[in-house]
Amino acid sequence: MRSSLLLCLSLSALACRTPPPAAGPAPQLLATRGAIDPEKIPAFELLHLAVMAGENESARRILERLLARDPRGPALELARAYERILDGRALVTALDLRLVAEERAGQPGAYDVFLLASQGTGEALVLRPRGARLRETVVAVDCDGTENRRVGVGVIEDIEELPLPVGEQVRRHLATMTLSAPAGTLAIRARWYLELTTVEARLAERSLPAADVRVGVAERVRLAAFLPPAPVEPAELLRYLREEQVRGPALMERAVRILPGRRAEALDLLTPMVEEMSVLTLELLVGPLRWLAGTAIPGGDAEAWRRWLSARARENTRSEEAGALVLPASRR
């Protein structure tokens, strides 16, 4: 893949590089209002509101009713413009894009970042991003839980189009990144995010706007050489917290070895214990909680983390209840 990666010092430095959003049908609706049958204007206004609100199914039904009324001229052009947006959104849901980071053999701390892409539309297509940004967040933590954070942003210029055949996964190299660990670092965690700007999708002879294309995040953790490489079970944190003498560094060494996919499980297990935990013990747990949660928003305040975990548990309960909600059958 022929692309160049330019590292920038801050997000604000990229503002001038971001292409302006493509004009949608809204200006067209205003410009053609006088040329559209007045009886159809309320339907177009409802269609516009549904599209802007992301109510794609409702928008599709409104559009189908509009097309059934046999619009002509500017009205038909406007309806087709909204149709392209809705078709583009449907296409985006069939995309599977994610990043992976692979450590280079014989080069500890050097990672090749790849984009893996596949799709389930049933026909070959080509993605054409106008531009892309690769964002890197790095958190280095020591045995006491003290963190050192940094963020870097790179602009990928001249990004090539991405052909996506049916039933195949495409792999593209984006960049090589190096994680250097400061002295005294217990673990370093890097996450890479890819932001695609103004993506166009082409199927056969048709071109569609592909807005809000999401790309899965890649994460890698590099541990200090003295730590055992084997992962730690989330329940091990609870077992250690029940011992008579609990040390902060020992908690931290366990937390950084919990696999990324099981950090939420560790937080779930810790929540009931934290509710009854003394402030002194909870203060030892602040560093591990920051690592497991992936956020530093509650800061170093132990009581703030107690409240944060409680709020997280309530939100999880509400989400589970909403997912289990069964609406009664409608009466006719």
Side-chain angles (χ1 to χ4, degrees):
M1 179 180 185
R2 292 184 296 105
S3 62
S4 56
L5 183 67
L6 305 180
L7 294 182
C8 301
L9 294 178
S10 66
L11 287 169
S12 60
L14 293 175
C16 61
R17 293 181 176 270
T18 304
Q28 190 176 350
L29 175 58
L30 294 175
T32 60
R33 191 182 186 97
I36 295 176
D37 183 350
E39 293 184 356
K40 294 184 175 66
I41 288 179
F44 274 111
E45 291 175 340
L46 285 175
L47 175 59
H48 178 72
L49 291 174
V51 169
M52 295 301 293
E55 300 290 342
N56 297 329
E57 293 183 5
S58 297
R60 182 72 71 176
R61 289 193 294 269
I62 297 170
L63 177 63
E64 289 173 353
R65 289 196 293 269
L66 266 170
L67 291 174
R69 295 165 66 181
D70 194 26
R72 304 290 179 88
L76 179 59
E77 292 178 7
L78 184 57
R80 294 304 183 194
Y82 280 109
E83 184 179 45
R84 288 183 67 248
I85 290 178
L86 294 174
D87 288 349
R89 289 179 180 178
L91 180 144
V92 166
T93 63
L95 297 177
D96 181 9
L97 306 180
R98 53 194 171 91
L99 297 182
V100 295
E102 300 176 357
E103 189 168 23
R104 287 195 165 189
Q107 299 182 44
Y111 298 91
D112 286 312
V113 180
F114 294 91
L115 171 64
L116 302 184
S118 59
Q119 52 97 357
T121 64
E123 58 180 309
L125 63 89
V126 177
L127 289 184
R128 293 175 174 172
R130 183 180 297 180
R133 293 191 294 265
L134 183 64
R135 181 162 55 94
E136 177 189 59
T137 64
V138 180
V139 178
V141 64
D142 64 16
C143 292
D144 295 324
T146 303
E147 291 185 348
N148 179 17
R149 293 174 175 260
R150 73 171 188 267
V151 177
V153 181
V155 177
I156 302 179
E157 295 190 336
D158 304 323
I159 186 169
E160 292 181 350
E161 64 183 26
L162 194 66
L164 298 180
V166 176
E168 295 183 22
Q169 186 179 73
V170 175
R171 177 184 172 97
R172 285 285 178 85
H173 182 265
L174 296 181
T176 300
M177 314 298 282
T178 302
L179 297 183
S180 56
T185 297
L186 178 70
I188 185 168
R189 175 176 64 208
R191 288 175 178 163
W192 292 279
Y193 307 79
L194 182 66
E195 301 168 359
L196 299 175
T197 56
T198 317
V199 181
E200 175 192 19
R202 191 159 190 85
L203 303 89
E205 298 302 319
R206 194 177 184 208
S207 176
L208 297 174
D212 298 325
V213 176
R214 305 296 175 87
V215 182
V217 177
E219 177 182 313
R220 292 303 297 256
V221 174
R222 187 181 179 193
L223 300 175
F226 65 83
L227 284 178
V232 166
E233 287 289 316
E236 169 60 18
L237 270 181
L238 274 70
R239 186 206 64 76
Y240 180 70
L241 281 166
R242 294 190 180 102
E243 292 190 359
E244 290 186 6
Q245 290 188 342
V246 177
R247 296 173 55 251
L251 280 172
M252 202 70 230
E253 290 173 9
R254 287 165 170 79
V256 298
R257 291 167 56 204
I258 293 176
L259 294 175
R262 304 193 67 186
R263 290 174 190 150
E265 177 187 347
L267 292 172
D268 292 340
L269 292 174
L270 285 170
T271 299
M273 179 178 284
V274 167
E275 290 177 355
E276 307 297 330
M277 188 177 290
S278 70
V279 175
L280 290 178
T281 303
L282 184 52
E283 287 176 347
L284 298 177
L285 196 57
V286 166
L289 286 174
R290 271 199 301 256
W291 179 271
L292 294 171
T295 179
I297 291 176
D301 185 344
E303 289 296 344
W305 277 102
R306 198 194 308 269
R307 294 190 296 271
W308 185 89
L309 284 171
S310 179
R312 175 181 177 274
R314 290 194 300 271
E315 182 60 31
N316 287 345
T317 300
R318 282 196 293 267
S319 298
E320 291 171 1
E321 291 174 349
L325 179 63
V326 178
L327 296 176
S330 60
R331 296 179 180 178
R332 296 186 178 181

